Amino acid sequence: MAKAKTVYRCEQCGTDHPKWAGQCTDCGEWNSLVEVNIAPAVTHRAQPKMGGGYAGQASAVTTLNQISISNETRLATGISEFDRVLGGGLVTGSVVLIGGDPGIGKSTILLQTATHMASANSSALYVTGEESLSQVALRAQRLDLPTDHLKVMAETCVERICEILAQIRPAVAILDSIQTLYTETLQSAPGGVSQIRESAALLTRYAKNSGTALFIVGHVTKEGSLAGPRVLEHMVDCVLYFEGQSDSRYRMIRAVKNRFGAVNELGVFGMTDKGLKEVANPSAIFLSRYDEAIPGSIVMISREGTRPLLVEVQALVDDAHGQPRRVALGLEQNRLNMLLAVMHRHGGVQTSGQDVYVNVVGGLKITETGSDLAVLLACASSLRGKALPQQLAVFGEVGLSGEIRPVPNGQERLKEAIKHGFKYIIVPRANAPQKKIAGVQIIAVARLHEALTEAINLCE
């Protein structure tokens, strides 16, 4: 038999080194090398014998037009917002990785999904590696979930899990979490780079061959990214992130990777004592405004995935006592600094000696550039002390030369604003509709100074 070999493996990138060093030569991280004993590979009787990569298909050469295309069979999770994020439902044989901060609701929504699917004649298996079965049952009882059809198991060995999955062949299986699983072919501890990579690869191959859809829970680091090797996100079909503060009522699930649907799709949920409840009209919760117009407040028409959202943006510009500060909550900090410089150069509004605070109401994180114009109009409104009309909504990207650039899906954004009763909408000239809309004044602008002038005229 081959002898076991000792190497030093980086916990960040997974690179093996023959001897210990203070810094990894590949990724540059310090104190990340740990000793790992590499034993000869052991063939386990439950290990699936598959080839052809993670998809489990036999290797064969053919032309692309000879491949038969079949529509993916999708299973309803019982939560329409969750189905939206997944692209219309859970695809059979897919692997979904879901991550988020501790206590944000990952296990809760997956337990709700498992009980709904089990009650809808779709067999489901919940595998827990972090909690005991009594804790899972207690949570289900607290949420008033039906528990007579859901199968549960406490196990952390991947080979044993594959055995059980092959016996009962459920339509969906939930693994909570990947950091607690291990494979017997490796000697390292659970949660390590090699264990996470090999466990995920084995489960992905099984899902592709059996047709069982898998939900895998992943831990996150203090920076908010998924813990473990980056290859973990490449293996799976869909990566979902939970967003929102633990003390806030609302939670958001964002799809950052989806092979069967749109990325950046957003699902909004409300945390209640009976679990996560879907929010059918998320624009309503982000538009809880004052009874009268106030300076520094404006409504932005954003778009997350395939859904337009109306979000209130607030700005506060005040005299600085010392070094001026720039604080952005829900927006990118560096982009705010750039936009303020553009407003100074091309709009004639100076904020060099002012503190600027910008906040997106509701805890939503806006990543698209269509929020540029709303941020600058809110800052100008707060600086001059003039309140913008409450029936005003804006969207548009601001370039470095002061031009207002168009954004994708402008017509859908207009329809969402009109549906909520807005009377004035400032849009880029390229996004202006060809026909006039009754009861709505569409203000098309091409330069930043035009947008500032039109907004001030509306104030008066």
Side-chain angles (χ1 to χ4, degrees):
M1 295 180 61
K3 296 182 179 179
K5 184 174 67 172
T6 300
V7 297
Y8 294 88
R9 181 165 297 163
C10 177
E11 292 182 324
Q12 300 296 326
C13 65
T15 305
D16 293 339
H17 302 265
K19 61 181 180 179
W20 186 87
Q23 184 182 25
C24 177
T25 57
D26 279 19
C27 64
E29 288 290 332
W30 289 90
N31 300 323
S32 61
L33 302 186
V34 294
E35 183 178 355
V36 176
N37 294 322
I38 300 180
V42 179
T43 303
H44 194 275
R45 57 188 176 88
Q47 183 174 357
K49 298 180 180 179
M50 312 167 196
Y54 298 122
Q57 298 176 351
S59 56
V61 179
T62 184
T63 57
L64 191 60
N65 61 350
Q66 295 178 354
I67 299 176
S68 60
I69 301 176
S70 59
N71 295 327
E72 300 92 357
T73 303
R74 294 184 181 268
L75 302 173
T77 61
I79 306 174
S80 59
E81 281 292 301
F82 204 18
D83 290 337
R84 171 195 289 271
V85 178
L86 293 172
L90 183 62
V91 178
T92 57
S94 63
V95 181
V96 180
L97 178 64
I98 181 169
D101 295 335
I104 202 168
K106 301 185 298 295
S107 300
T108 299
I109 193 170
L110 290 180
L111 184 59
Q112 291 179 245
T113 301
T115 53
H116 287 317
M117 298 186 71
S119 301
N121 299 325
S122 296
S123 57
L125 175 64
Y126 191 98
V127 182
T128 173
E130 296 181 343
E131 299 176 317
S132 64
L133 295 179
S134 60
Q135 288 176 315
V136 176
L138 184 61
R139 176 185 289 116
Q141 181 182 5
R142 185 175 69 249
L143 301 178
D144 289 339
L145 298 176
T147 59
D148 50 346
H149 294 93
L150 178 62
K151 298 181 177 63
V152 294
M153 179 180 66
E155 183 59 60
T156 56
C157 178
V158 176
E159 286 80 9
R160 176 59 180 165
I161 293 174
C162 288
E163 282 186 356
I164 300 300
L165 292 176
Q167 291 177 9
I168 64 177
R169 300 187 66 84
V172 59
I174 290 141
L175 308 174
D176 188 6
S177 65
I178 189 64
Q179 274 75 19
T180 61
L181 303 183
Y182 71 94
T183 172
E184 294 180 345
T185 59
L186 298 176
Q187 300 298 319
S188 57
V193 172
S194 57
Q195 282 286 3
I196 293 177
R197 181 173 57 239
E198 295 303 322
S199 299
L202 188 58
L203 292 169
T204 302
R205 292 191 185 103
Y206 174 83
K208 299 301 180 183
N209 281 267
S210 65
T212 299
L214 297 181
F215 279 110
I216 299 178
V217 178
H219 295 173
V220 295
T221 61
K222 60 183 180 180
E223 290 82 12
S225 59
L226 282 165
R230 200 67 179 179
V231 71
L232 177 62
E233 299 183 40
H234 292 283
M235 289 181 192
V236 300
D237 300 312
C238 184
V239 180
L240 308 179
Y241 275 91
F242 249 106
E243 297 178 358
Q245 302 295 328
S246 58
D247 56 348
S248 174
R249 178 186 174 187
Y250 298 105
R251 306 283 193 272
M252 285 150 285
I253 299 181
R254 186 187 302 272
V256 297
K257 174 189 176 181
N258 194 352
R259 291 173 178 166
F260 308 106
V263 295
N264 276 335
E265 191 68 64
L266 189 71
V268 183
F269 301 87
M271 177 63 76
T272 66
D273 56 347
K274 300 301 179 183
L276 290 168
K277 303 297 182 181
E278 56 189 351
V279 178
N281 186 14
S283 295
I285 67 174
F286 298 128
L287 290 179
S288 55
R289 311 186 70 188
Y290 297 99
D291 296 334
E292 59 182 13
I294 59 173
S297 175
I298 195 171
V299 174
M300 171 187 61
I301 312 174
S302 178
R303 184 176 175 87
E304 300 294 333
T306 60
R307 163 188 282 169
L309 288 176
L310 297 178
V311 184
E312 182 185 358
V313 178
Q314 293 181 341
L316 175 62
V317 181
D318 195 12
D319 294 334
H321 300 282
Q323 186 70 21
R325 298 187 62 189
R326 304 287 187 266
V327 178
L329 299 179
L331 298 167
E332 188 179 355
Q333 178 79 27
N334 294 330
R335 192 162 189 85
L336 174 62
N337 297 330
M338 181 193 73
L339 292 175
L340 294 176
V342 173
M343 185 169 65
H344 179 209
R345 174 64 63 89
H346 300 286
V349 180
Q350 183 177 1
T351 59
S352 58
Q354 310 286 329
D355 290 334
V356 179
Y357 304 91
V358 178
N359 176 43
V360 178
V361 176
L364 191 65
K365 294 182 180 179
I366 304 298
T367 57
E368 66 154 359
T369 57
S371 62
D372 295 348
L373 186 57
V375 171
L376 292 185
L377 292 183
C379 292
S381 171
S382 177
L383 178 63
R384 297 178 177 179
K386 294 186 177 181
L388 296 171
Q390 286 190 313
Q391 292 80 21
L392 172 65
V394 300
F395 66 87
E397 178 183 353
V398 179
L400 289 178
S401 59
E403 78 277 12
I404 307 299
R405 304 177 64 87
V407 297
N409 306 105
Q411 300 304 314
E412 288 79 0
R413 298 172 192 250
L414 288 174
K415 292 179 182 178
E416 183 72 13
I418 295 171
K419 184 177 68 175
H420 285 79
F422 286 86
K423 303 300 182 182
Y424 310 98
I425 306 177
I426 300 179
V427 302
R429 182 165 297 174
N431 287 124
Q434 297 180 355
K435 298 181 180 180
K436 292 185 178 181
I437 303 175
V440 180
Q441 182 180 354
I442 305 296
I443 304 173
V445 293
R447 304 288 299 177
L448 177 59
H449 65 86
E450 297 179 22
L452 292 172
T453 302
E454 293 291 344
I456 296 301
N457 291 337
L458 291 176
C459 294
E460 297 175 352

